[in-house]
Amino acid sequence: MLDEQLKTQLSAYLERVQQPFELVASLDDSETARDMLDLLTTIQSLRSDKITLRTDGNDARKPSFTLQRVGATNSLRFAGLPLGHEFTSLVLALLWTGGHPPKIEPEVIEQIAALDGDFSFDVYMSLTCHNCPDVVQALSLMAIVNPKIKTTVIEGGAFQQEVADREIMAVPMVFMNGQVFASGRMSVEEIIAKLDTGAAARDAAKLSAKAPYDVLIVGGGPAGAAAAVYAARKGIRTGVAAERFGGQVNDTLAIENYISVLETDGPKFAAALEAHTRAYDVDIMNLQRADQLIPAAEPGGLIGVKLANGATLQSKTVILSTGARWRNVNVPGEAEYKNKGVAYCPHCDGPLFKGKRVSVIGGGNSGVEAAIDLAGIVAHVTLIEFADQLKADAVLVNKLKSLHNVTIHTNAQTTEITGADGKVNGLKYKDRATNVEHLVQLEGVFVQIGLVPNTEWLKGTVELSKFGEVIVDSHGRTNIPGVFAAGDCTTVPFKQIVIAAGDGSKAALSAFDHLIRMPVVAQPVAAAPAAAAVAETV
């Protein structure tokens, strides 16, 4: 099941297991069950003094296995094989169950332990989904820390009938106590916030009490992280308020064009951004969405950033690096059938459409890459492009045209995504040359039409372009003194990770230059009266 190199690595990790626990398998006569037994036998053999394997489990969901500390009542179950992107989730679950401390803030662990109530989670994932591990690992940790939380991680490919019955068409998908809880990528802090309703108010009070920063960065993607590192290296008080550290990079699969990094993936790159930032004295405030920018009342005064939870942060300078998000096609049916056939991540959700018919909207690099990727999984791909020709690189277009199960429609305007019984069943498009409307019968639609900047909250304060981008000069300065901007939310052309990182560095240096040129406020000389008194005495 595991090659020798992987066994060696796993053996080294399992040396960190300190507390004994059991692997309890519930098996059937399927091939997946045989592979599961092989995997569990290997794990047990690598740490036989601490890990016991039992095969007498009787759970109704087979094949599956639980991780159970001896004498504890915690419940964490894996249904199906946690391999692919989820192998790391399995390794972490083994270590945490065995007493190895997680790399997470102690106050977060305390919040998990304090959650009161009976929470039973089912989290559905696919082995090719790069967004799923964060959710799987978060809910696994919560089940290990708090015995009132039960988590079952379900590999959709092994339980296809269950996926169909629950009408799951996007992963990760989380159910709590039988009801839909959330879909898409979530951190452990986000999950806790949904369960602990008083957390936002407590968090707001803590944030509002923070001392003013020299540089406050809004956004934690490549631009924000680079700005934070460059600012912190100047020895000035630096803070980062980010809705999701790493930003849209978290949703990127392969990264092969960041100079000096031959190849990586989005989640790894995002984790590296955060680790690099945390290596410096930077106050990172994650899961914070900015709602309002408050310019300084007077030259040299403090700039405010009001957050969605009601807190207000203050700083001498602010760097806006809120990035961008996937653009919606904005036709009838898109919102209604989101996660019910309408998807935005072919790598995450593509396997759920195995053997089915899908469409990709968008003929740029992302759209053509998505169509090529999906063509190897689904029965047929129909690509819809508004322009009269595909805009992707020639090598990608040639590859796409060589595939037998792909149909390309250019000069085509998507007009509606249709559905029935809560699921997508078709897509309508209009031939722009003839105005004739066509209906394509299918089960899934992947939207890949570019980005829209996350700047709605800045309207009326910072000057924006007609596309909603923050207008900046060559130094990253906006029209408001002391406010700078960087990355995909700005007018800087070519939305690339490497460009955003350079932009963030430039903005931080510009902010520092602004700070050192601010007038020094004269302080009263406390010693003067005393000196006068001495003179009078003499």
Side-chain angles (χ1 to χ4, degrees), residues 247-404:
Q248 197 184 29
V249 166
N250 286 292
D251 303 323
T252 304
L253 189 60
I255 299 173
E256 300 174 344
N257 57 359
Y258 194 87
I259 309 307
S260 83
V261 179
L262 188 61
E263 182 180 1
T264 185
D265 61 48
K268 288 181 182 177
F269 192 83
L273 289 176
E274 184 167 359
H276 195 172
T277 305
R278 289 190 182 278
Y280 293 91
D281 188 17
V282 176
D283 186 7
I284 295 178
M285 296 158 281
N286 218 345
L287 305 182
Q288 303 301 330
R289 180 168 59 83
D291 260 5
Q292 183 184 0
L293 179 70
I294 307 171
E298 56 187 10
L302 293 174
I303 302 163
V305 174
K306 186 176 181 180
L307 305 178
N309 62 11
T312 298
L313 303 171
Q314 293 185 314
S315 182
K316 296 176 183 177
T317 61
V318 169
I319 297 175
L320 307 171
S321 58
T322 48
R325 62 188 183 275
W326 292 116
R327 187 182 300 276
N328 293 324
V329 69
N330 292 321
V331 297
E334 180 181 21
E336 180 181 356
Y337 296 112
K338 185 177 180 181
N339 295 329
K340 295 296 183 182
V342 175
Y344 299 84
C345 180
H347 307 295
C348 303
D349 301 330
L352 298 175
F353 294 86
K354 184 177 181 179
K356 298 181 179 180
R357 301 160 298 176
V358 303
S359 175
V360 173
I361 302 175
N365 279 349
S366 60
V368 172
E369 287 173 353
I372 293 170
D373 184 15
L374 290 165
I377 303 170
V378 305
H380 190 271
V381 179
T382 300
L383 186 140
I384 307 293
E385 166 56 34
F386 184 84
D388 58 5
Q389 61 182 352
L390 300 181
K391 297 171 289 185
D393 297 340
V395 63
L396 295 174
V397 174
N398 291 336
K399 173 64 176 177
L400 182 69
K401 290 181 178 179
S402 73
L403 302 175
H404 72 280

Side-chain angles (χ1 to χ4, degrees), residues 5 68 71 125 128 189 257 281 307 315 335 382 398 430 439 504:
Q5 182 178 2
Q68 296 179 349
M125 56 79 173
T128 58
E189 292 89 352
N257 57 359
D281 188 17
L307 305 178
S315 182
T382 300
N398 291 336
K430 182 177 67 176
L439 172 65

